[in-house]
Amino acid sequence: MEHDAVAATQHAQDTEAHPPQRRSRGGSRIAVLVSVFGELLITTGLVLGLFVVYSLWWTNVLADRDAAAKGNEVRDRWAGGPGELDTKDGIGFLHVPAMSNGEVLVTKGTDAKELNHGVAGYYTKPVKAAMPWEKKGNFALAAHRDGHGAKFHNIDKIEKGDAVVVETRETWYVYKVYGTLPQTSKYNVDVLDATPKESGRKKPGRYLTLTTCTPVYTSKYRYIVWAELERTEKVDADRTPPEELR
């Protein structure tokens, strides 16, 4: 009995010296908030990652598929023999070896609804582009640099002297690059003029202008490439390309 009494007394003393600790409600709430915030960050990161994948990969897949289908329609129409110009599906194909992007279908218009299909569109506004077969003017084109086919992604690889070829049903139009403008305002429409004086040319001629967004992954400015028609070649029965594309 005496031993039990001593043990009870010792337990009481230990309890007084080290009373039970209650969990802090404030600490618990902070832990919950930190956990929730961490989960939100992870979710946000996943959503942003998926958006990037969609914007820079999946839209390219869809656009390339659409462009290939439309391009096949154009070539099928050409195979049917001579006929009136039809701009609904496209007027031809753009070939720029320096960009290593294969052939690019050229269609009417530069709005997103047209360019999102993986094509290069010729301007109808604010300045109307001249067609390659016209005796003078500026065949001005636009295409996406990132996403939706990204046909002009490597526009910065183009240098003076490089070839740009436009293929139509009956003619190859071979242009030679003579100037580039790595950055200009998106509102600078002078670069599209029939005689693009900003490029250094002062007299009417047969010009071609390529435009796209810059820097990469932004649309803050525009990147410009100017070329001038060097010669034309008649398309033969085998559609043998000019030497610049061989």
Side-chain angles (χ1 to χ4, degrees):
M1 295 293 292
E2 182 177 347
H3 175 73
D4 293 342
V6 172
T9 301
Q10 183 63 43
H11 176 72
Q13 290 176 345
D14 291 343
T15 301
E16 291 177 358
H18 305 284
Q21 299 293 317
R22 292 185 177 181
R23 295 182 66 182
S24 171
R25 292 184 178 179
S28 177
R29 290 175 180 172
I30 291 175
V32 171
L33 289 173
V34 170
S35 177
V36 171
F37 183 66
E39 291 179 0
L40 287 174
L41 286 178
I42 293 173
T43 302
T44 301
L46 288 173
V47 171
L48 290 175
L50 290 173
F51 177 75
V52 170
V53 170
Y54 172 79
S55 298
L56 301 181
W57 178 71
W58 185 241
T59 61
N60 286 340
V61 173
L62 296 177
D64 287 342
R65 185 171 64 188
D66 287 348
K70 288 187 176 182
N72 289 335
E73 291 178 9
V74 171
R75 292 201 179 278
D76 288 344
R77 176 158 43 83
W78 288 356
E84 294 183 2
L85 176 65
D86 182 0
T87 62
K88 181 179 179 181
D89 298 320
I91 63 168
F93 299 88
L94 177 74
H95 305 264
V96 189
M99 288 201 289
S100 303
N101 61 349
E103 64 180 31
V104 181
L105 179 64
V106 178
T107 61
K108 181 179 180 179
T110 56
D111 292 338
K113 64 181 180 180
E114 286 94 15
L115 299 186
N116 285 356
H117 292 288
V119 302
Y122 61 85
Y123 281 86
T124 59
K125 57 182 181 179
V127 178
K128 185 178 180 181
M131 294 296 99
W133 49 86
E134 294 183 27
K135 297 303 180 182
K136 60 181 180 180
N138 187 0
F139 185 46
L141 305 172
H144 285 299
R145 194 169 188 187
D146 298 291
H148 300 288
K151 297 305 180 182
F152 285 1
H153 183 76
N154 292 326
I155 195 171
D156 59 313
K157 305 300 183 183
I158 301 175
E159 299 179 348
K160 291 181 180 179
D162 285 343
V164 177
V165 180
V166 175
E167 175 191 1
T168 65
R169 184 204 299 264
E170 299 177 348
T171 307
W172 298 95
Y173 297 87
V174 182
Y175 296 82
K176 184 176 181 180
V177 174
Y178 68 86
T180 62
L181 182 59
Q183 182 174 298
T184 189
S185 169
K186 65 174 71 175
Y187 305 108
N188 182 7
V189 298
D190 293 345
V191 298
L192 309 175
D193 285 348
T195 302
K197 296 180 180 179
E198 196 166 347
S199 72
R201 292 297 191 262
K202 305 299 181 183
K203 296 180 179 180
R206 298 172 74 174
Y207 302 105
L208 177 144
T209 301
L210 307 180
T211 72
T212 194
C213 296
T214 199
V216 178
Y217 308 122
T218 74
S219 59
K220 188 174 183 180
Y221 300 104
R222 295 293 180 267
Y223 196 110
I224 312 297
V225 171
W226 289 291
E228 190 169 12
L229 187 69
E230 191 171 62
R231 72 180 191 280
T232 63
E233 292 186 13
K234 196 72 174 176
V235 172
D236 61 23
D238 298 322
R239 301 201 72 84
T240 305
E243 59 182 355
E244 287 82 358
L245 302 182
R246 297 173 198 168

